[in-house]
């Protein structure tokens, strides 16, 4: 299995690139979102959960994420992790994710754990102007997560931008490929898909 990591700021097009690349690669490709591995906080009230910093590295269960990727690399299925953004709680599913030829993992801190980075065949970093990222985040949070502009602005100033400046912008130094123009960069998607298919063919012919 080839593991591809996609990292970058919130709103940079990570999910879009991951799914576009998955479609271009074809059968035998799976995408897992790092957001599904937020730590659960059932002991906290809803109000307390809303005040957590969801943009810092420590908010994720890195050990569980690493364990699941290792399990897939060993040829075994994992349970389908999920997250309820409305309640700020884990909402894991009963179905399983099975190993495939290519696994794409994406998230703002997917390069944070060096143990995980060592498992990646290819590391992609989304380089997009912060203003564009903010506009995309506003559109997504209003249309998909039912949030209002005041809530989005408070979170952006309080945690999104500070965590980008402190952590996420530095992940670019770990990347093999820097992707510009967002996730719908059709040319880079085709180039990357061709490269991955070539590597899969080499593996098959060993």
């Amino acid at each position: 299995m080839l593991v591809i990591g996609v990292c970058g700021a919130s709103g940079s097009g990570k999910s879009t690139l991951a799914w576009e690349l998955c479609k271009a690669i074809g059968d035998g490709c799976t995408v897992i979102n790092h957001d599904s591995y937020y730590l659960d906080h059932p002991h906290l009230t809803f109000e307390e959960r809303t005040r957590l910093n969801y943009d810092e590295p420590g908010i994720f269960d890195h050990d569980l994420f690493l364990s699941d990727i290792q399990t897939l690399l060993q040829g075994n299925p994992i349970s389908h992790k999920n997250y309820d953004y409305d309640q700020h709680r884990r909402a894991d599913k009963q179905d399983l994710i099975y190993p495939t030829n290519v696994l794409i993992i994406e998230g703002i801190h997917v390069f944070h754990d060096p143990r995980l980075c060592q498992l990646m065949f290819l590391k992609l970093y989304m380089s997009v102007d912060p203003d564009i990222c903010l506009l995309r985040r506003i559109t997504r949070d209003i249309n998909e997560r039912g949030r209002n502009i005041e809530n989005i602005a408070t979170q952006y100033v309080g945690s999104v931008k500070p965590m980008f400046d402190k952590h996420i912008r530095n992940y670019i130094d770990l990347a093999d490929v820097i992707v510009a123009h967002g996730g719908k960069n059709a040319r880079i998607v085709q180039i990357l898909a061709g490269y991955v298919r070539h590597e899969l063919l080499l593996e098959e012919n060993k």
Side-chain angles (χ1 to χ4, degrees), residues 6-203:
V6 183
C7 188
S10 176
S12 61
K14 299 180 300 298
S15 297
T16 300
L17 179 73
W19 284 107
E20 290 295 320
L21 182 55
C22 187
K23 288 190 294 183
I25 292 170
D27 294 337
C29 184
T30 301
V31 175
I32 294 180
N33 188 328
H34 197 198
D35 283 5
S36 298
Y37 288 78
Y38 277 124
L39 289 165
D40 201 12
H41 299 278
H43 59 288
L44 299 179
T45 66
F46 175 78
E47 288 73 21
E48 289 172 329
R49 293 197 299 272
T50 63
R51 292 195 293 268
L52 293 173
N53 184 346
Y54 289 92
D55 295 277
E56 67 160 336
I59 200 71
F60 295 94
D61 192 336
H62 295 284
D63 289 337
L64 179 59
F65 191 50
L66 175 67
S67 177
D68 274 0
I69 303 307
Q70 290 173 327
T71 298
L72 289 171
L73 285 168
Q74 292 164 1
N76 300 309
I78 61 172
S79 61
H80 193 158
K81 309 302 186 297
N82 199 33
Y83 193 77
D84 184 339
Y85 293 97
D86 292 330
Q87 295 300 316
H88 301 291
R89 288 290 311 277
R90 286 279 291 279
D92 296 348
K93 299 180 180 180
Q94 297 298 317
D95 57 317
L96 298 177
I97 296 175
Y98 290 88
T100 50
N101 292 330
V102 180
L103 172 64
I104 303 175
I105 52 178
E106 61 91 4
I108 58 174
H109 290 297
V110 82
F111 291 173
H112 174 75
D113 189 339
R115 301 170 300 173
L116 185 61
C117 285
Q118 290 179 355
L119 301 179
M120 295 180 192
F121 159 73
L122 190 62
K123 296 186 288 295
L124 311 176
Y125 183 89
M126 308 297 294
S127 181
V128 178
D129 187 280
D131 290 341
I132 300 298
C133 292
L134 175 57
L135 289 173
R136 290 175 178 169
R137 182 183 176 93
I138 291 171
T139 301
R140 181 201 66 191
D141 284 1
I142 290 176
N143 294 336
E144 298 179 17
R145 300 180 183 176
R147 295 176 182 169
N148 58 54
I149 192 66
E150 182 179 356
N151 173 267
I152 295 169
T154 299
Q155 187 178 25
Y156 184 80
V157 173
S159 63
V160 177
K161 189 177 187 304
M163 292 300 99
F164 173 78
D165 291 338
K166 183 176 181 180
H167 298 287
I168 301 166
R169 70 188 309 167
N170 298 318
Y171 294 144
I172 194 171
D173 296 331
L174 301 173
D176 299 306
V177 178
I178 299 171
V179 180
H181 310 304
K184 293 187 178 180
N185 187 333
R187 181 170 296 176
I188 193 64
V189 167
Q190 291 304 317
I191 291 172
L192 291 170
Y195 174 59
V196 172
R197 286 194 295 265
H198 175 71
E199 290 297 317
L200 289 173
L201 187 60
L202 291 179
E203 289 291 322

